[in-house]
Amino acid sequence: GSLRSQDPGPQPLELKQVFTLFQIQYNRSYSNPEEYARRLDIFARNLAQAQQLEEEDLGTAEFGVTPFSDLTEEEFGRLYGRRRMDGEAPNVGREVGSEEWEES
Amino acid sequence: VPPTCDWRNLDGVISSVKKQESCNCCWAMAAAGNIEALWGIRYHQSVELSVQELLDCGRCGDGCRGGFVWDAFMTVLNNSGLASEKDYPFQGKAKPHRCLAKKHKRAAWIQDFIMLQDNEQKIAWHLATEGPITVTINMKLLKQYKKGVIKATPTSCDPLLVDHCVLLVGFGKTEAEVDRRAGAAASQPYPRRSIPFWILKNSWGAEWGEKGYFRLYRGNNTCGITKYPLTARVDRPVKKRRVSCPP
């Protein structure tokens, strides 16, 4: 669950236990120990970032473990960002009259 | 503008939450969801429309490499409508030169499409009186989102760097302590504030967020929601009939 609602219990779950729960919940497996270690490190970073997002949020949002918690920002952006814009507004706003516009 | 609006509460308007898998087709899923909703509201027919046709038949080639909602609407106009999901199902990858539109019956069609003003009050009015709208937002805060209302600042979520298309399906208001972090720690009840929000349908599967949906703060252009509000129109431009969104 999200960080806020996570029951602290006698002691917070170890990171590896949380990661194992993530793997079970989202059916993740890794091909070798190096890949596992790398994904665990990414997972830890994402959890830390989720904590920070929750502190910064001015609404009621809760952040935490999601299906993307073992992905880097780059992997996530590649998978889900719309990319054609590559982060800049499309030139649909170009004012009529510029020569390229007339061509197109 | 009514205090709340949620098109999910009217049968036959909002289809099931889709999952893009490894295909960058949020733009096509949002456009198809928009037409489905307008068709359901206007003709009381529940349709599920082909995202694959938008991917294969668009003018920009491989639709799984990203795209624009307005190109999806252009494809629907060029093909005189859109096939059903059943006839032309989603494959998770595009076949840019294998457009099969001509082989399938049109399950729905549009008259035209419009972009609304970048004004949240006017967007809410159109949403409540006409139906769902596609919007493009900065998706930066969605990766780790679990639930609740995201309220960001231009610093934490740049409203100009919009890179993800979703479908706006409603709006409402919730209550929260003035400062939820202090509130959690304090013993006495904290003063409460009301938080207006948008309800948005994502295309990352129902296991993400609030059963595939999420909520953004309404009123400060959180994550650039007002930048590209586009919607198709399925109605002939005759005298307007009023519809009303269920509360």
Side-chain angles (χ1 to χ4, degrees):
Chain A
S2 69
L3 299 158
R4 174 167 307 289
S5 55
Q6 214 157 31
D7 168 16
Q11 59 170 359
L13 286 175
E14 288 299 317
L15 173 66
K16 279 197 174 178
Q17 289 169 300
V18 178
F19 191 48
T20 301
L21 290 175
F22 164 80
Q23 285 183 271
I24 295 166
Q25 183 175 359
Y26 298 110
N27 191 23
R28 288 287 194 289
S29 59
Y30 306 108
S31 49
N32 57 58
E34 292 72 26
E35 180 61 7
Y36 172 87
R38 179 167 172 268
R39 292 295 163 188
L40 176 60
D41 180 55
I42 293 168
F43 182 79
R45 292 167 196 273
N46 283 331
L47 275 194
Q49 187 196 35
Q51 180 97 34
Q52 185 187 343
L53 291 177
E54 195 150 314
E55 283 160 14
E56 286 172 0
D57 182 67
L58 304 171
T60 64
E62 296 185 15
F63 299 88
V65 176
T66 71
F68 315 118
S69 289
D70 65 342
L71 298 180
T72 63
E73 285 308 311
E74 295 69 35
E75 288 167 329
F76 179 71
R78 239 192 339 264
L79 269 176
Y80 291 96
R82 200 175 40 175
R83 256 200 344 238
R84 284 258 154 102
M85 280 185 187
D86 293 327
E88 80 209 21
N91 49 17
V92 286
R94 193 185 309 165
E95 66 287 347
V96 177
S98 59
E99 55 291 347
E100 296 89 6
W101 179 272
E102 274 144 14
E103 271 161 29
S104 61
Chain B
V1 177
T4 65
C5 158
D6 190 339
W7 284 108
R8 296 176 297 183
N9 294 336
L10 186 59
D11 286 347
V13 172
I14 304 296
S15 66
S16 59
V17 171
K18 304 298 183 292
K19 193 167 185 177
Q20 307 174 196
E21 307 295 353
S22 54
C23 173
N24 249 309
C25 58
C26 63
W27 57 279
M29 289 185 165
N34 173 243
I35 300 170
E36 287 164 357
L38 297 173
W39 198 263
I41 293 166
R42 174 66 186 81
Y43 300 112
H44 310 293
Q45 286 172 27
S46 168
V47 289
E48 198 137 0
L49 298 174
S50 172
V51 167
Q52 194 64 39
E53 180 173 329
L54 299 176
L55 302 180
D56 295 347
C57 307
R59 60 181 176 166
C60 294
D62 180 354
C64 280
R65 293 188 58 248
F68 299 105
V69 165
W70 45 86
D71 279 327
F73 290 144
M74 284 304 297
T75 300
V76 177
L77 287 171
N78 290 336
N79 292 338
S80 307
L82 193 52
S84 68
E85 171 62 20
K86 184 165 175 285
D87 284 352
Y88 198 162
F90 181 56
Q91 315 268 325
K93 57 182 182 299
K95 296 173 184 161
H97 308 296
R98 287 274 318 282
C99 174
L100 304 176
K102 290 185 171 39
K103 294 184 185 305
H104 300 295
K105 187 165 72 79
R106 306 299 74 195
W109 47 89
I110 66 176
Q111 296 300 324
D112 52 22
F113 60 93
I114 54 174
M115 184 186 276
L116 304 179
Q117 263 184 279
D118 54 350
N119 173 307
E120 290 185 82
Q121 190 71 355
K122 292 188 173 162
I123 290 170
W125 187 83
H126 190 99
L127 176 58
T129 58
E130 300 289 344
I133 300 161
T134 73
V135 291
T136 306
I137 61 167
N138 180 335
M139 68 175 190
K140 175 184 171 190
L141 301 180
L142 300 188
K143 176 182 168 194
Q144 324 247 31
Y145 171 81
K146 292 192 73 67
K147 60 182 177 180
V149 179
I150 294 174
K151 181 177 181 181
T153 63
T155 309
S156 60
C157 192
D158 187 338
L160 295 178
L161 287 184
V162 292
D163 58 2
H164 184 48
C165 301
V166 291
L167 187 67
L168 190 53
V169 299
F171 55 80
K173 202 169 271 195
T174 182
E175 295 283 314
E177 291 103 7
V178 164
D179 175 348
R180 59 176 171 161
R181 284 166 289 281
S187 54
Q188 79 283 1
Y190 240 67
R192 303 183 69 74
R193 61 190 161 120
S194 94
I195 297 190
F197 59 78
W198 294 111
I199 305 167
L200 302 114
K201 181 185 183 186
N202 203 347
S203 48
W204 293 348
E207 58 186 8
W208 175 87
E210 296 179 335
K211 295 191 173 71
Y213 291 82
F214 66 105
R215 287 180 288 160
L216 287 182
Y217 183 80
R218 176 162 53 101
N220 73 344
N221 188 30
T222 279
C223 298
I225 191 168
T226 65
K227 192 152 180 61
Y228 298 116
L230 269 96
T231 181
R233 290 198 295 198
V234 297
D235 227 341
R236 290 181 186 291
V238 290
K239 179 153 174 36
K240 276 285 140 226
R241 227 178 3 83
R242 283 277 163 261
V243 297
S244 59
C245 174

